[in-house]
Amino acid sequence: MSTLLLFCAVVAATLAITTWASRRRQGSPEEFYAGGRLFSPMENGFALAGDYMSAASFLGVAGLIALYGYDGMLYSVGFLVAWLVVLLLVAELVRNCGRFTLADVVAARLGAPAVRVALGVSSVTVSVLYLVAQMVGAGSIVALLVGRTGAAETWTVLGVGALMIVYVCCGGMRATTWIQIVKAVLLTGGAVTLTVMVLARFGGDLGALLASAAEHSGHGAEFLAPGLLYGGGWAARLDFVSLGLALVLGTAGLPHILARFHTVPTARAARRSVVWSIGLIGGFYLMTIVLGAGAAALVGSGAVRADNAAGNTAIPLLSVELGGGAGSTGGAALSAIVAALAFATILAVVAGITLAASAAVAHDLCSSLRRARRTARSGAAEVRTAKAAAAGTGAVAVALGLLAKDLNVASLVGLAFAVAASANLPALLYALFWSRFTTRGALWSVYGGLVPALLLVVLSPVVSGSAHSLFPGVHFAYFPLENPGLVSIPIGFLAGWLGTVTAREPCDPARHAETEVRALTGAGAA
């Protein structure tokens, strides 16, 4: 009953925020997509952290550390280091060059409708992949609390899908931002509490914690050494490199992260918001290492794997142990609080991702088609289209989430990062920094990264060929790596270069100079 009440409280709070935000008129694209650009650097920094610290962070990363020790920590390191790329290369420039979406930034340089369509397709693809991970995380949480029944997981995924549509359609960016801020505060506070409790069990001795984790992992000293997950041969080692490359480069190409830079009034505010988010995210990912090791030490890697083969329930199981063990009042209460925090995490993240996907559909895809037909439409009509797109995106994410319910959420997010780094990042960096970049180069870089990344995922062990695949009963895993980044990211950059140097249309130096001045100074920025 306490768990149900906490869940209801989380949902009620988020709906209250949405209701409050919906009182402000959502008819203009600037208000719906960017919240009127009125958020302060601190507010946007907390929202960025709330947008980024997803179910993959809270559930999947800790679960991988609990199961695989050192190799699982790659996610914590990769997710954090990625923000240096965002801070140094894209934050201010994206704020100055764009209005609402990633396609706006590249279109400011090239202007071709086909480029906007390509980036719109890529943004929707990345958003859906990311949403699937959140759906899987929601199902795992509820399955742990009410019993591992298919009906419970199915109804949870459907409920999360319905709520995210309500958040986006009724509250827009304003509601989404405040939900993310509240979630960031709650999640950080919960992680700090659990971390302190874990360390207290070992007298504050981190060495004793790691030694106990190794002892109860079933792997001994190998738990704290590289290779437990990515050490089975050359393919596993390359998969390690591929995943790290995708995590470090993928953040700078995530549509819902880039969209947050348009919610602040200036480029300086965008940079300062990234600094705020790095502080919050850095502390959080350091705590996931302690929590993952704590789960291995106090619960045992075997028990975590027995409850959920992907490790998604490691932190809820840890909270039961910290609260006094199974059957205790304290264990049940702490587990309920952690589950509510995880559920709030999922609700906040899916709202941001859905908003980014709906913006890509309405502002990039549909607007480009209208321009091709030489028809105009009002801003209010575009917002209505975005709301309809949110419903469609939610439906697709729900269907895929039910299909992928047995996969680790961090692994699913890794795939989204790989696609973002392969398709979005090359076009973005070339448009910002390469004076010779052309329309053909942009199209080749987007599709040249997107298509190979998706094809390699389909042909990888993630989809078939193993007991943990989406389709374990068939085998067409001809690509040995689970993450395609090592291959698809270089292909995306190479395709953009090749398309540019072979293009017949001349580059426009004046257009590049204009974009460069705008990116660096903010002159003419929205």
Side-chain angles (χ1 to χ4, degrees):
M1 181 61 69
S2 60
T3 302
L4 181 60
L5 290 175
L6 282 171
F7 270 73
C8 292
V10 169
V11 173
T14 54
L15 289 175
I17 293 172
T18 303
T19 302
W20 166 77
S22 65
R23 295 177 180 175
R24 188 180 181 94
R25 186 173 176 270
Q26 302 288 334
S28 69
E30 185 173 30
E31 177 63 34
F32 185 76
Y33 297 140
R37 309 187 199 279
L38 299 175
F39 294 102
S40 69
M42 186 181 73
E43 291 169 344
N44 197 48
F46 272 78
L48 273 169
D51 218 351
Y52 195 69
M53 296 186 302
S54 65
S57 305
F58 194 54
L59 302 177
V61 173
L64 286 172
I65 294 173
L67 296 181
Y68 303 108
Y70 182 95
D71 282 6
M73 297 178 192
L74 171 65
Y75 284 89
S76 293
V77 175
F79 282 145
L80 176 57
V81 172
W83 280 92
L84 298 178
V85 178
V86 176
L87 176 63
L88 297 175
L89 292 181
V90 301
E92 291 185 69
L93 306 185
V94 165
R95 171 61 187 85
N96 285 336
C97 290
R99 291 185 65 209
F100 309 122
T101 66
L102 167 65
D104 283 337
V105 180
V106 182
R109 165 72 190 282
L110 300 173
V115 174
R116 187 178 286 276
V117 169
L119 285 164
V121 170
S122 177
S123 296
V124 171
T125 303
V126 172
S127 298
V128 169
L129 285 173
Y130 213 125
L131 279 173
V132 170
Q134 312 310 313
M135 299 298 181
V136 173
S140 297
I141 281 293
V142 173
L144 175 71
L145 296 172
V146 303
R148 199 160 296 282
T149 63
E153 294 186 62
T154 299
W155 282 108
T156 300
V157 171
L158 290 172
V160 171
L163 285 170
M164 72 183 184
I165 294 171
V166 170
Y167 297 148
V168 172
C169 292
C170 297
M173 179 58 83
R174 189 172 296 276
T176 298
T177 298
W178 282 108
I179 290 172
Q180 289 164 346
I181 290 172
V182 171
K183 167 255 179 150
V185 173
L186 292 176
L187 184 61
T188 302
V192 169
T193 302
L194 291 177
T195 300
V196 170
M197 293 178 72
V198 169
L199 292 176
R201 286 288 189 98
F202 297 90
D205 188 343
L206 186 59
L209 167 62
L210 295 176
S212 180
E215 179 183 353
H216 292 90
S217 68
H219 299 286
E222 294 180 358
F223 184 79
L224 302 178
L228 194 57
L229 178 60
Y230 297 106
W234 66 268
R237 290 181 172 85
L238 288 179
D239 220 351
F240 184 86
V241 177
S242 184
L243 175 62
L245 189 65
L247 294 180
V248 170
L249 297 180
T251 301
L254 292 176
H256 65 290
I257 295 298
L258 296 176
R260 293 232 57 90
F261 298 131
H262 302 304
T263 65
V264 291
T266 65
R268 182 171 181 266
R271 183 181 69 250
R272 290 176 60 197
S273 66
V274 174
V275 174
W276 273 99
S277 65
I278 287 177
L280 291 168
I281 292 167
F284 177 79
Y285 280 112
L286 288 175
M287 288 186 286
T288 61
I289 296 175
V290 175
L291 296 177
L298 299 176
V299 179
S301 298
V304 171
R305 185 178 286 105
D307 188 81
N308 183 280
N312 292 331
T313 56
I315 286 186
L317 291 173
L318 172 64
S319 65
V320 172
E321 180 63 29
L322 291 174
S328 67
T329 302
L334 189 57
S335 175
I337 293 172
V338 168
L341 287 176
F343 200 65
T345 295
I346 291 165
L347 293 178
V349 174
V350 297
I353 301 170
T354 306
L355 182 59
S358 64
V361 172
H363 186 67
D364 299 329
L365 297 178
C366 294
S367 295
S368 297
L369 293 175
R370 287 196 299 271
R371 291 189 188 99
R373 297 172 183 171
R374 297 184 178 180
T375 58
R377 216 173 172 191
S378 66
E382 181 178 319
V383 171
R384 288 195 295 271
T385 302
K387 293 179 179 181
T393 302
V396 173
V398 166
L400 293 177
L402 293 174
L403 183 65
K405 61 183 180 181
D406 294 325
L407 297 181
N408 182 274
V409 289
S411 300
L412 288 171
V413 167
L415 297 179
F417 274 60
V419 176
S422 303
N424 293 345
L425 187 62
L428 176 61
L429 294 184
Y430 280 147
L432 291 174
F433 298 109
W434 191 14
S435 61
R436 294 180 56 194
F437 195 45
T438 62
T439 298
R440 175 189 279 190
L443 293 174
W444 284 28
S445 65
V446 175
Y447 291 123
L450 178 64
V451 174
L454 294 178
L455 181 62
L456 292 176
V457 169
V458 171
L459 298 177
S460 75
V462 172
V463 176
S464 71
S466 75
H468 305 296
S469 301
L470 283 177
F471 304 105
V474 296
H475 179 76
F476 47 86
Y478 303 112
F479 181 66
L481 307 184
E482 293 189 0
N483 192 288
L486 187 63
V487 176
S488 59
I489 294 173
I491 289 177
F493 279 98
L494 180 62
W497 172 82
L498 188 62
T500 296
V501 298
T502 60
R504 294 183 179 180
E505 79 268 19
C507 60
D508 188 349
R511 190 76 176 260
H512 171 70
E514 178 183 346
T515 302
E516 188 175 35
V517 170
R518 178 175 171 178
L520 295 175
T521 66

